[in-house]
Amino acid sequence: MGGRERSMTSLVYCQEARELLDAFGETVRELTRLHEEQFQAIVSGDLDSTRFDDLIFMANERKHEAKYAYLHHLETHRCSKFDATSD
């Protein structure tokens, strides 16, 4: 890099925090998938596309639970920190 230093910053997590973050990510993907399926049903003229409403509601509840479990862990365990390194 021509003698210039490049700083990189990343978060460091304990294993449980990483697992909770992965679980949160999975709930977001599930919710996104359900929204996409509902959208496709609407676009294709499916008259019963409202059947997704309860599924989306429940997936959104799971997403919130996973999010707050992750945030609660970070607050109580204080395991995340910024790790600044330079190349």
Side-chain angles (χ1 to χ4, degrees):
M1 295 204 74
R4 292 178 18 202
E5 289 186 20
R6 190 176 82 186
S7 177
M8 299 192 60
T9 304
S10 63
L11 279 173
V12 177
Y13 297 103
C14 75
Q15 184 62 31
E16 184 176 356
R18 184 161 307 282
E19 290 170 4
L20 289 167
L21 182 59
D22 289 344
F24 172 56
E26 183 56 38
T27 63
V28 171
R29 284 187 289 278
E30 176 189 6
L31 184 58
T32 302
R33 181 187 54 79
L34 287 168
H35 278 292
E36 176 65 21
E37 288 180 14
Q38 184 181 45
F39 176 74
Q40 291 300 325
I42 291 168
V43 168
S44 69
D46 186 341
L47 298 177
D48 190 28
S49 60
T50 59
R51 71 183 179 279
F52 289 96
D53 290 345
D54 288 337
L55 296 172
I56 289 170
F57 176 82
M58 291 183 294
N60 203 36
E61 290 292 313
R62 287 189 296 276
K63 182 193 76 145
H64 282 105
E65 289 171 9
K67 174 184 173 182
Y68 291 112
Y70 169 68
L71 292 175
H72 177 74
H73 177 81
L74 292 183
E75 289 175 9
T76 58
H77 194 243
R78 302 213 182 269
C79 59
S80 70
K81 63 181 184 257
F82 283 103
D83 179 29
T85 60
S86 58
D87 294 8

